[in-house]
Every structure is written in C-alpha cells, then in structure tokens.
Amino acid sequence: MKKKSRLIMAEMILTVALVCGCAAGQQEVGDMTESGGSVPAASTASDTPVEPEPSAISEPDSAPEPSAIPEPGSAPGASGGNEQGADRAAAPDLNRNGIAEELRFTEDGEGQRLEIWENGEMIKAEVGVFAHAGWNSVFLCTIDGEDYLLHYNPEMYQGVGSYYYRLNTLQDNAETNVRTGYVDFDINFGSPIHTGFDPEAVAAFMDEINGLLSQSVQLLNTHEDLQATFEKEGRLYDSLWWLDTWEPVFVRDENKSLPDNLADFQAAMTADAEPTAIAEDGLPIAEPLEMAFYSGAGAWANGLTLSPDGSFAGEYYDADCLTVYVCEYHGHFGKVEKLTDASWLLTLDELELDTGHEVGEEWDEQPGVEDSYHYISSEPNGLRGEDGSALRPGAQFILYSPEAMGHEPGTELYGAVQLQTWMHGGRREFQNADDTLGCWGLHNLATGEGFFTD
C-alpha cells in the first residue's frame, strides 16, 4: 500500500465526528405467554426488519407527587376504550402473578410520567415529554381477559414515516415483548430521494394497530399528532392525520376504504410532483472537491476526490489494531442533470477497484515480522449498494452545493433523513431558509450514505 495514502487516511480518521443511523423495522418476538390470549397477526411491511430501540425510562432524582389513581381513560388526551379495558384499568395484572397493580400518573410542564406499583414497590415507569423528540404513548390493552402494555410510536419526520408498536407483559417484573409490528413509508413523491410507498402495507399495519387500540385504555400520551387524531375521531383510532393536509391535491373520500384512499393519495401526489431535470455538460465545480465519508464509531474513513470532469478517485481504510481493511478505486460520473439551483443528479458510468487484490484477499506488509500490518481487500464503504457490493454503472447520486436547504417540502435535503445522520458533526435540523448545508455533499441514493467536504 502507498504509505502516503495511509498517512492521509490516518489523519482523516483522527478528525472523525460521531454520527449514527437508524432504521425502523419489524420483528415478531416470541410466542404469547401461557396465560395470554390471542393477538392479531403482525403486519409484514418490510424485507429488512430492524427493531427500533424501546423508549428510555428515566428515574428522576425526586419524582413528582403522584396523583390519585386515574379513572380509566382519564389521562390527558384519553378518548375512551372498550368496556373490558375500562373495567380492568384500575386493577391490571401485567406481571401475571395474580396480584393487582396500582397505576400512578403525574404531569408537569415538561411531560408525563406513569408508574406501575405492586405491594409498595414500583415495578415499571414510563415517561413522555411534550417536546417532539420525546413523544411517547402507552396504553393498557386487554385481550381475552389478559393485560398488556401497548407502546405505539407513529413517527413522521420530513415526509418519512416509521410507524412502530410493541405489545408486552411485565412477566417477572421485566418487560417482555410478545408482539411487535412496523411499517416504513415515504410521502416525498416526485423527489429523487423518494424511497417507496406501499398503500396495502400501510393499510394492513393501521388495521392491526387500530384493532389493538380498540381493546385499549390510554395511560400516557404526549404525542401531539396522535392526541389530535384521537380527539377528532372521538376514540382511540389512528386515521393518519397527514392524509388530510394536502388539499386540493388530495382530499380523503370518507366513502372509500383506507387502502383505496391511500392508493388515491399516492396517485394524486405522484401526478402533482413530477420531477424536472435539465441535462448539464459537466459538474458545477471549477476545482476538485476533497470529500469524506466516515463515522466516529470506528477507525475508518473513505476519502474521495471529485473532479470537475466527473471523474473521482479515493481510498477506503478501516483499521482494527494491526488488521486493516483497504480499498483503492477510481470512477466516473457521466450523465449530469440539474435538479435545482443547489442540487444535481449524477449517474455512475464506471467504478473500478485498484487495490491490486481480489475482494476478500489477505496479505501482510512484512511477512513473518511481528507487529506487521495485515491487510484485507474490501469493497469501498460509501460506494456500495444495499447488497454490500461495489456499485454498478447506472447507480445514482445527488451532488448538493453548500446552499442546499432542507426545511420544507421541495427543498433539496428535505426527506434525506438517512443522509442527515452522516453529516459531519452529527445529525442537524433544518429550521428555515437561512439554515443551509454549508458544504458540498454527495448522496448515494442506494443506501442514503454520503460524502461531505469540510
């Protein structure tokens, strides 16, 4: 390997900033406990399930004085529930030991707190804050006479939806999931970063969660959109608030089923948001851009130099003590199309690996010498597809200028949620037109990963 390249990459790694990405997913967890009843079958909304982390439970130094045990459904924002759930809300048995638990609810200016007590001991606490990042909703779900906690988190950020629930018991005073479900979708129709929208999958998930909500009583809810939906419907029912925010492009038809309304929504939004792109002769830069893709989670980085003629070259480097994964490469972007004044769609013409070794091949820098580096030829991280292999011709990228914005629909970075997790310095919020990217960015549309200049 070239020692100069290694030194450059080592210096880059020393400047790494910590960022992280996440994805929503679905996973069915175990079977029902022996004493549990039947639960509606989980929806299948994605081929790559990744279960989100459960909400954190904080224990304050001095908990606020609890209110009296709330009447069933009396927690702020509650909108009823079935009679079976209402009858049991005052005395649930979530840990299945035959002893009724006590529910305690408190609220202050920052959020709500639910505590579950038994025989003078708190066995579970849930918190939700009124700020968007801390929204939480928890319900007592009663199925066939058995009690469960239902956590429902319908997250919508920049037109990207990640709806997730988990149903659990407190068997042995520990949270045990018996069912989880999720659906992911993207309503940024017409945008080159649109990742997909499946009306049937969304409708199936909503049927599932609404079936559980119909057997539930609300215990805690700081989710503003969900509260408004419950109040509008007059019951614990999620009718998808965002479907009613697109007039006159789309207006919900109350005489149609949810799957039909979702399909009509997809058609109307797609027709209204046809993207326009203008062919360009080359990249909108006069000098080469030095760009990097890295994370503070490990000693790895990929440095790339992008030239005005569309050619690029770089090196990927991942060090694990004396074991080093490496990849040298070069390539070229051919077709260049202007999307906005601050973004361009690029199509990959070529990506060649120049490491000199087949991917997976291993070798030592100084065979037989102790403390010698052991190299492994790798794919170029950041320039790979969903299957982990180096991208092939036809793969698409978006190049963003420092003026790119992301504060509202139609702006360049709106909806590029995955890319934002890789921004140097960590994920950031785009609040208004004055809040711009501030550097050049190269967005791999296959994975959402990105390279940025300093």
Side-chain angles (χ1 to χ4, degrees):
M1 296 297 301
K2 301 183 178 103
K3 291 187 178 181
K4 180 178 180 181
S5 296
R6 291 203 302 271
L7 287 172
I8 293 173
M9 295 305 296
E11 291 175 359
M12 182 188 301
I13 290 169
L14 290 176
T15 66
V16 161
L18 180 61
V19 293
C20 66
C22 67
Q26 178 210 356
Q27 180 180 2
E28 249 184 63
V29 183
D31 297 320
M32 299 294 292
T33 58
E34 292 182 3
S35 59
S38 61
V39 178
S43 60
T44 305
S46 174
D47 295 329
T48 55
V50 180
E51 183 177 333
E53 291 295 327
S55 302
I57 299 173
S58 60
E59 298 292 342
D61 295 333
S62 57
E65 189 68 23
S67 64
I69 301 173
E71 291 298 321
S74 65
S79 301
N82 71 357
E83 293 182 2
Q84 182 189 34
D87 289 342
R88 297 184 64 85
D93 184 15
L94 292 160
N95 60 7
R96 306 294 198 269
N97 65 356
I99 302 174
E101 292 119 6
E102 175 189 1
L103 305 179
R104 300 181 183 179
F105 176 86
T106 56
E107 179 176 348
D108 57 25
E110 296 183 355
Q112 301 172 355
R113 179 179 176 88
L114 171 71
E115 296 178 353
I116 303 173
W117 289 70
E118 183 181 274
N119 292 333
E121 177 185 358
M122 186 178 70
I123 62 175
K124 177 68 174 176
E126 290 281 352
V127 295
V129 298
F130 297 128
H132 181 272
W135 283 357
N136 191 18
S137 58
V138 184
F139 309 84
L140 175 68
C141 185
T142 304
I143 303 172
D144 294 339
E146 297 290 348
D147 298 322
Y148 304 86
L149 283 179
L150 172 63
H151 301 76
Y152 178 37
N153 296 287
E155 178 67 24
M156 176 69 85
Y157 177 71
Q158 291 195 346
V160 178
S162 180
Y163 278 33
Y164 172 74
Y165 81 80
R166 70 182 192 275
L167 189 71
N168 60 267
T169 69
L170 297 181
Q171 193 83 32
D172 298 322
N173 292 345
E175 187 174 290
T176 303
N177 287 350
V178 296
R179 173 66 46 80
T180 63
Y182 89 111
V183 66
D184 290 336
F185 54 89
D186 182 337
I187 62 174
N188 293 300
F189 299 97
S191 169
I193 62 174
H194 178 60
T195 57
F197 184 85
D198 186 339
E200 292 185 0
V202 176
F205 175 85
M206 298 314 300
D207 282 346
E208 186 177 332
I209 186 61
N210 283 324
L212 294 174
L213 288 172
S214 71
Q215 303 176 81
S216 301
V217 174
Q218 182 170 285
L219 301 179
L220 174 151
N221 187 2
T222 60
H223 194 296
E224 184 177 308
D225 294 324
L226 199 55
Q227 285 181 343
T229 301
F230 289 166
E231 291 171 3
K232 174 187 174 183
E233 297 293 332
R235 55 179 173 147
L236 299 182
Y237 182 86
D238 187 352
S239 55
L240 298 176
W241 61 270
W242 43 266
L243 269 181
D244 300 314
T245 61
W246 299 99
E247 295 185 13
V249 176
F250 171 78
V251 179
R252 187 199 301 256
D253 187 340
E254 298 295 344
N255 295 317
K256 289 187 176 182
S257 66
L258 182 59
D260 286 344
N261 269 301
L262 288 169
D264 290 347
F265 171 74
Q266 180 182 36
M269 296 295 290
T270 300
D272 187 65
E274 289 295 337
T276 57
I278 302 174
E280 298 274 279
D281 292 334
L283 298 183
I285 55 176
E287 300 292 336
L289 298 178
E290 299 295 333
M291 313 186 81
F293 170 61
Y294 57 71
S295 167
W300 65 268
N302 189 348
L304 176 153
T305 301
L306 178 62
S307 299
D309 64 357
S311 63
F312 61 88
E315 179 182 6
Y316 167 62
Y317 182 100
D318 183 3
D320 182 9
C321 296
L322 294 177
T323 299
V324 185
Y325 296 83
V326 293
C327 179
E328 295 182 5
Y329 59 86
H330 75 273
H332 183 264
F333 292 113
K335 188 177 182 181
V336 178
E337 299 174 275
K338 183 177 180 179
L339 298 173
T340 70
D341 288 340
S343 63
W344 294 261
L345 183 65
L346 313 182
T347 301
L348 183 67
D349 269 359
E350 176 190 26
L351 175 58
E352 297 291 338
L353 306 189
D354 305 319
T355 314
H357 299 266
E358 294 292 328
V359 172
E361 185 179 345
E362 303 183 25
W363 71 98
D364 293 325
E365 184 180 56
Q366 296 176 308
V369 177
E370 188 176 0
D371 294 336
S372 173
Y373 282 104
H374 179 72
Y375 291 99
I376 302 176
S377 180
S378 177
E379 303 278 11
N381 199 8
L383 294 174
R384 301 185 293 192
E386 291 184 338
D387 63 355
S389 299
L391 289 168
R392 298 172 178 81
Q396 292 188 316
F397 289 71
I398 295 180
L399 178 67
Y400 303 102
S401 76
E403 291 74 33
M405 299 178 289
H407 64 289
E408 64 182 8
T411 55
E412 293 83 9
L413 291 159
Y414 188 87
V417 176
Q418 182 68 16
L419 177 71
Q420 292 175 30
T421 67
W422 294 105
M423 291 180 182
H424 296 179
R427 181 172 179 165
R428 57 177 295 178
E429 298 284 341
F430 290 94
Q431 302 292 344
N432 52 57
D434 294 327
D435 189 5
T436 60
L437 178 58
C439 65
W440 287 90
L442 184 63
H443 184 181
N444 177 355
L445 294 183
T447 61
E449 298 167 337
F451 294 75
F452 301 91
T453 60
D454 288 334

